């Protein structure tokens, strides 16, 4: 698996959100409109429907971390999506609201049990101590981290968020021993795929996850678990969707209370 798969939707939507009407925009827009059948697309169909050239499609793939269009097509698996709908049992909004409320409360209690105030403080203090901080995540956590990134501005703290094109990202290619790398991976799937690659990078490394795989201990200086249980598959999405939102809200609150300039 290519680690860039975990940020693919962010990459494609980033091109769309940029709004520049160039070849990359045309290719990205066509691929997103046909995301459910990308594996069946030929490069000729992309060329014809996006009104572009073969060389432009190749450059597009290389820009987002793939050697060619064939490798890009192989990356379109369930892992790129923020929720795995295969395991969802759809119901009425009343039943869903009731079930979701119970799951969220159970999840919050679980996080509160394993993630103490002292640990929240440790994470916030490390963020404060390092001048250069890079938060790394897959598609499904990027919204939480971007919100967190913006909240820290109230304390004059600027951190970077990397959620796509990891191996081709300039921020990650320029890390040094004075960099703090904080990787977020609820189920550990993203962290496991990134593990070997991350070992080659310098810097102080932190992992926040629900996965207790022992291989992480070889890579990270500190690991913070968000559950009393081993989470390998967050099928309900409750930890990924709501757990990280809650956790980073706590970290932001600690950071702002302790380090925001006093008026």
């Amino acid at each position: 698996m290519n680690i860039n798969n975990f940020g693919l939707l962010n990459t494609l939507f980033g091109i769309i959100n940029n709004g520049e009407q160039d070849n990359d925009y045309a290719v990205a827009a066509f691929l997103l409109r046909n995301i459910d059948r990308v594996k069946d697309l030929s490069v000729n169909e992309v060329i014809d429907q996006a009104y572009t050239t073969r060389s432009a499609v190749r450059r597009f793939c290389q820009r987002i971390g793939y050697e060619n269009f064939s490798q890009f097509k192989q990356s379109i698996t369930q892992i790129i999506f923020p929720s795995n709908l295969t395991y969802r049992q759809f119901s009425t909004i009343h039943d869903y609201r009731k079930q979701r409320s119970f799951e969220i409360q159970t999840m919050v209690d679980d996080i509160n049990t394993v993630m103490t105030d002292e640990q929240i403080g440790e994470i916030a203090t490390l963020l404060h101590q390092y001048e250069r901080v890079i938060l790394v995540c897959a598609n499904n956590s990027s919204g939480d981290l971007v919100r967190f990134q913006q909240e820290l501005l109230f304390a004059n703290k600027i951190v970077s968020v990397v959620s796509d094109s990891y191996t081709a990202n300039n921020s990650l290619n320029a890390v040094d021993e004075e960099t703090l790398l904080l990787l977020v991976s609820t189920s550990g799937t993203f962290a496991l795929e990134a593990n070997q690659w991350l070992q080659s990078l310098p810097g102080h490394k932190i992992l926040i996850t629900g996965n207790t795989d022992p291989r992480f201990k070889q890579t990270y200086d500190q690991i913070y678990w968000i559950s009393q249980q081993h989470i390998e598959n967050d099928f309900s999405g409750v930890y990924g969707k709501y757990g990280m939102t809650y956790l980073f809200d706590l970290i932001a609150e600690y950071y702002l209370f302790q380090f925001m300039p006093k008026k």
Side-chain angles (χ1 to χ4, degrees):
M1 186 185 298
N2 188 320
I3 188 178
N4 295 326
N5 298 6
F6 289 88
L8 183 53
L9 286 185
N10 283 349
T11 301
L12 296 177
F13 277 113
I15 295 170
I16 296 299
N17 294 341
N18 184 51
E20 188 172 346
Q21 302 291 313
D22 56 8
N23 283 324
D24 284 348
Y25 180 96
V27 174
F30 175 74
L31 292 174
L32 284 170
R33 284 195 297 268
N34 294 275
I35 199 72
D36 59 333
R37 65 182 194 94
V38 164
K39 285 185 176 295
D40 298 322
L41 293 177
S42 67
V43 68
N44 288 332
E45 186 173 359
V46 178
I47 292 169
D48 292 341
Q49 297 299 317
Y51 303 102
T52 188
T53 65
R54 185 176 299 271
S55 60
V57 174
R58 184 175 64 252
R59 287 194 300 271
F60 170 87
C61 294
Q62 292 172 344
R63 170 187 167 184
I64 64 176
Y66 302 93
E67 293 181 8
N68 49 49
F69 186 65
S70 294
Q71 188 185 78
F72 169 82
K73 287 204 301 181
Q74 293 171 8
S75 72
I76 306 298
T77 63
Q78 192 66 41
I79 198 68
I80 74 168
F81 296 97
S83 297
N84 191 340
L85 299 183
T86 304
Y87 298 96
R88 285 275 298 275
Q89 297 294 322
F90 295 100
S91 60
T92 67
I93 188 60
H94 175 78
D95 290 341
Y96 180 75
R97 187 198 300 266
K98 183 177 180 181
Q99 178 64 24
R100 214 48 161 174
S101 297
F102 172 76
E103 291 172 342
I104 291 172
Q105 185 58 61
T106 302
M107 173 271 298
V108 168
D109 292 341
D110 190 21
I111 291 178
N112 286 342
T113 298
V114 295
M115 188 68 74
T116 65
D117 292 350
E118 289 73 23
Q119 288 176 313
I120 297 293
E122 287 175 8
I123 297 170
T125 300
L126 280 168
L127 292 171
H128 181 66
Q129 290 175 342
Y130 278 82
E131 180 68 24
R132 189 173 189 210
V133 177
I134 303 177
L135 312 179
V136 186
C137 66
N139 287 312
N140 54 358
S141 298
S142 59
D144 296 326
L145 296 191
V146 168
R147 188 181 308 110
F148 178 74
Q149 176 190 43
Q150 295 172 359
E151 289 179 343
L152 292 195
L153 288 175
F154 288 101
N156 300 328
K157 180 69 176 183
I158 297 177
V159 302
S160 301
V161 175
V162 174
S163 59
D164 64 358
S165 305
Y166 309 98
T167 59
N169 190 284
N170 290 331
S171 294
L172 291 174
N173 289 333
V175 299
D176 55 28
E177 294 294 342
E178 301 303 315
T179 302
L180 175 64
L181 287 171
L182 191 160
L183 189 138
V184 176
S185 179
T186 303
S187 68
T189 305
F190 172 58
L192 284 170
E193 187 63 33
N195 207 40
Q196 185 175 0
W197 163 70
L198 204 65
Q199 284 181 4
S200 67
L201 299 179
H204 189 88
K205 299 162 189 171
I206 301 174
L207 173 64
I208 296 178
T209 186
N211 190 305
T212 60
D213 193 298
R215 285 173 287 180
F216 294 143
K217 294 181 179 180
Q218 302 172 12
T219 304
Y220 295 92
D221 298 285
Q222 284 125 308
I223 302 174
Y224 295 92
W225 287 280
I226 61 171
S227 176
Q228 301 172 81
Q229 309 299 319
H230 171 72
I231 299 176
E232 188 172 2
N233 294 294
D234 183 28
F235 290 141
S236 69
V238 68
Y239 281 86
K241 281 186 177 181
Y242 309 103
M244 289 302 176
T245 300
Y246 175 62
L247 177 59
F248 276 90
D249 184 39
L250 296 178
I251 299 172
E253 179 67 18
Y254 187 102
Y255 193 100
L256 295 174
F257 180 79
Q258 292 291 336
F259 304 119
M260 188 165 59
K262 303 297 189 291
K263 295 183 179 179

